[in-house]
């Protein structure tokens, strides 16, 4: 889709992976580069224009004022609005079910654990061992479980979202796999939290 070509023409700094290494691997590379640049707040927004980027300053402001360490964009303010935006019904149902379970297990009160709009403080990326995470889509679930384990303050803001044919979206089978992997992450979290087993995902990084 000529994303790299267009971005470079617009003067955007672009980092190329040697090959398609996966969704999680892409985030790992971007976060490492952001830390090298000395960024204090790092924003991740899925690049298919599904999420409204105008909310970026507001998410960054919540972190900058010290209210939260992580801010997620919540797509689901109401069932009607979410489905009306084009979200497939099966995705809405699975999102609601997984989010309820994740809130209970991780002790949070978030509206959407699976958002592609996220803001992190520098300290979060310097503490969470995200390089141990999967290179696949479950990277995001692992990251939030790690954030909860390390007692980072996680909040959310409403973000308008739209679904359309050109927007990237994983298939039903990949969604099912992702859901099962997310439940496995929660199981690992409980094992670590109850000291029944040490899980590498929850070993903090050494501060630089």
């Amino acid at each position: 889709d000529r994303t790299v070509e267009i971005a470079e023409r617009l003067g955007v700094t672009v980092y190329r992976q040697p090959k398609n290494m996966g969704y999680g691997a892409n985030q790992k590379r971007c976060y490492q580069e952001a830390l090298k640049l000395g960024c204090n707040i790092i924003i991740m927004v899925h690049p298919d224009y599904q999420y409204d980027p105008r909310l970026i300053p507001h998410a960054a402001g919540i972190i900058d004022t010290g209210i939260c360490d992580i801010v997620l964009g919540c797509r689901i303010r109401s069932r009607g609005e979410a489905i009306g935006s084009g979200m497939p019904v099966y995705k809405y149902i699975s999102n609601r079910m997984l989010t309820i379970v994740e809130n209970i297990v991780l002790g949070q009160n978030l509206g959407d654990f699976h958002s592609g709009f996220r803001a992190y403080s520098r300290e979060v990326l310097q503490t969470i061992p995200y390089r141990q995470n999967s290179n696949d889509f479950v990277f995001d679930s692992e990251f939030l479980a790690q954030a909860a384990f390390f007692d980072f303050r996680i909040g959310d803001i409403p973000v308008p979202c739209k679904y359309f044919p050109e927007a990237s979206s994983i298939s039903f089978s990949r969604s099912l796999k992702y859901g099962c992997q997310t439940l496995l992450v929660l199981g690992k979290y409980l094992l670590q939290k109850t000291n029944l087993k040490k899980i590498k995902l929850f070993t903090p990084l050494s501060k630089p």
Side-chain angles (χ1 to χ4, degrees):
D1 61 3
R2 299 170 54 231
T3 296
V4 170
E5 174 192 335
I6 295 171
E8 290 179 334
R9 190 168 69 238
L10 292 172
V12 176
T13 301
V14 176
Y15 298 98
R16 293 173 180 259
Q17 295 282 58
K19 61 179 181 179
N20 186 350
M21 300 172 65
Y23 171 80
N26 187 49
Q27 287 193 64
K28 293 175 188 180
R29 171 71 186 280
C30 289
Y31 296 153
Q32 291 172 41
E33 298 294 346
L35 291 176
K36 288 179 186 176
L37 291 171
C39 299
N40 291 319
I41 299 173
I42 296 87
I43 310 288
M44 188 274 283
V45 182
H46 285 182
D48 54 7
Y49 208 60
Q50 192 176 104
Y51 296 84
D52 192 332
R54 293 176 299 174
L55 274 296
I56 288 175
H58 302 282
I62 292 173
I63 293 177
D64 187 47
T65 53
I67 297 172
C68 291
D69 305 300
I70 297 173
V71 176
L72 307 180
C74 178
R75 297 167 289 176
I76 303 174
R77 289 178 288 191
S78 70
R79 180 172 60 246
E81 184 176 354
I83 296 176
S85 70
M87 178 182 283
V89 174
Y90 80 87
K91 285 192 175 183
Y92 172 81
I93 294 173
S94 60
N95 183 298
R96 295 297 78 209
M97 293 175 64
L98 279 176
T99 291
I100 289 171
V101 174
E102 286 167 298
N103 274 322
I104 293 171
V105 173
L106 302 178
Q108 304 296 316
N109 188 31
L110 300 171
D112 183 3
F113 266 88
H114 309 283
S115 173
F117 182 111
R118 300 174 178 227
Y120 305 122
S121 70
R122 182 180 183 85
E123 183 183 2
V124 168
L125 295 181
Q126 289 180 320
T127 303
I128 289 178
Y130 61 85
R131 296 185 192 182
Q132 304 290 343
N133 295 10
S134 168
N135 286 338
D136 205 350
F137 289 104
V138 76
F139 174 95
D140 285 342
S141 297
E142 292 173 331
F143 197 102
L144 289 182
Q146 291 164 318
F149 180 79
F150 292 118
D151 293 322
F152 284 113
R153 296 163 300 170
I154 310 172
D156 55 19
I157 60 174
V159 58
C161 187
K162 54 187 176 183
Y163 290 78
F164 49 96
E166 293 81 11
S168 62
S169 183
I170 60 176
S171 65
F172 176 79
S173 59
R174 290 295 300 277
S175 295
L176 183 61
K177 176 184 176 182
Y178 168 78
C180 293
Q181 289 175 324
T182 295
L183 293 175
L184 181 60
V185 169
L186 296 179
K188 291 178 180 179
Y189 173 88
L190 289 173
L191 288 174
Q192 176 74 37
K193 200 72 173 175
T194 55
N195 294 315
L196 291 176
K197 185 177 181 179
K198 296 296 182 183
I199 307 295
K200 198 172 184 180
L201 278 176
F202 302 103
T203 301
L205 296 172
S206 299
K207 294 292 181 68

